[in-house]
Amino acid sequence: MLAQMHMRLNGAVTLVGVGGIASGQDAYAKIRAGAAWFSFIRRWFFHGPGLVTRIKRELLACLQHDGFANLREAIGTGEGDEGLN
């Protein structure tokens, strides 16, 4: 749904990916689908502040693997099917 909205709106609206983010890979999928921001409040509540550090580390690894210099470059670059609901 996120990727479809990003394509339909041609990136004109800032999208926020919420739900199902428990890792840097999950956040990266939301970003590649078109989210400029993401939220993982519920996961943070259960896993604590260490989750933020882990997600940042994993997200950086994903960006480096795919050759992106920053998050902004990666927004909306997915194929539209990043395994999201």
Side-chain angles (χ1 to χ4, degrees):
M1 183 62 73
L2 192 55
Q4 290 174 5
M5 289 301 294
H6 180 74
M7 288 188 312
R8 287 182 182 174
L9 298 170
N10 201 24
V13 174
T14 301
L15 300 175
V16 179
V18 296
I21 299 175
S23 69
Q25 293 81 4
D26 295 337
Y28 188 57
K30 301 271 188 191
I31 291 163
R32 296 282 312 266
W37 296 85
F38 55 90
S39 172
F40 53 94
I41 293 171
R42 184 173 178 207
R43 298 280 181 169
W44 182 82
F45 178 76
F46 289 108
H47 297 278
L51 178 65
V52 175
T53 302
R54 184 170 58 88
I55 287 177
K56 285 174 35 179
R57 184 179 59 245
E58 293 170 357
L59 187 51
L60 179 60
C62 290
L63 290 167
Q64 290 174 337
H65 178 267
D66 289 344
F68 294 112
N70 56 55
L71 287 177
R72 189 173 308 275
E73 288 182 4
I75 296 171
T77 59
E79 297 295 319
D81 183 359
E82 300 294 330
L84 302 174
N85 296 329

